[in-house]
Amino acid sequence: MSAEIASPAPRWRAASARQRRRPLLAALPRATSQMSGLAFAVVVLLVLALGLVAALVLNTTLQSQSAAITEKKAAVDSLSHQQAALASKVDVKRSPTQLQAAAVKLGMVPDLNPAFIDLRTGKVIGTPHRTTGDELKSIVDAPVSAGHR
């Protein structure tokens, strides 16, 4: 049998007797202030009550905004119908028959030989003639019925 010679322990492994007795984990002292069961229940009830109140306020606000949106949509629909009616009236007034009737009421007569002015140069194009209104008597005296409301 062979015997090995024991070598001295390295310094980093050598520990003093005081360090060996010290436990690795130590218990901390208990916290002295804890919330009682009644206080915890009160806090939970307050949080729930605040949540319910917030939900109620949110629901009421959303409902009032929804009612306002419905009113605004009804107003938009009414205004779009009015716009369509006014556009229809404008189209009737723009019709050639209505324009002719309005021109006759103002004393205007058709001109068979019109003359034009070139606005860039200021020159008169064509020969201007005086119009008496008797040139196309059948057009001027024709009754206006189409498109009249």
Side-chain angles (χ1 to χ4, degrees):
M1 230 168 131
S2 68
E4 288 186 21
I5 300 176
S7 62
R11 289 186 179 196
W12 56 273
R13 283 196 170 185
S16 67
R18 186 178 55 144
Q19 286 179 340
R20 276 188 249 151
R21 287 188 216 136
R22 191 173 120 210
L24 295 176
L25 298 175
L28 295 175
R30 276 190 90 130
T32 57
S33 63
Q34 285 187 347
M35 187 181 289
S36 68
L38 179 62
F40 179 74
V42 168
V43 168
V44 169
L45 287 175
L46 282 175
V47 169
L48 285 175
L50 288 174
L52 287 174
V53 168
L56 179 65
V57 168
L58 180 66
N59 188 20
T60 305
T61 304
L62 289 176
Q63 189 175 7
S64 66
Q65 288 177 355
S66 175
I69 288 172
T70 303
E71 288 177 12
K72 298 295 182 190
K73 282 183 180 181
V76 166
D77 288 344
S78 173
L79 291 174
S80 66
H81 289 303
Q82 286 180 1
Q83 179 195 15
L86 291 174
S88 175
K89 287 181 181 179
V90 167
D91 288 341
V92 168
K93 295 289 184 181
R94 284 184 179 172
S95 71
T97 309
Q98 291 294 321
L99 287 176
Q100 177 191 0
V104 169
K105 284 181 185 176
L106 291 174
M108 299 174 79
V109 293
D111 188 8
L112 297 178
N113 301 314
F116 301 97
I117 299 176
D118 186 0
L119 296 178
R120 287 176 282 181
T121 60
K123 292 184 179 181
V124 176
I125 301 171
T127 308
H129 298 286
R130 181 175 288 273
T131 304
T132 61
D134 294 333
E135 290 86 1
L136 297 173
K137 192 70 171 164
S138 61
I139 293 177
V140 174
D141 293 337
V144 178
S145 62
H148 190 279
R149 290 186 182 181

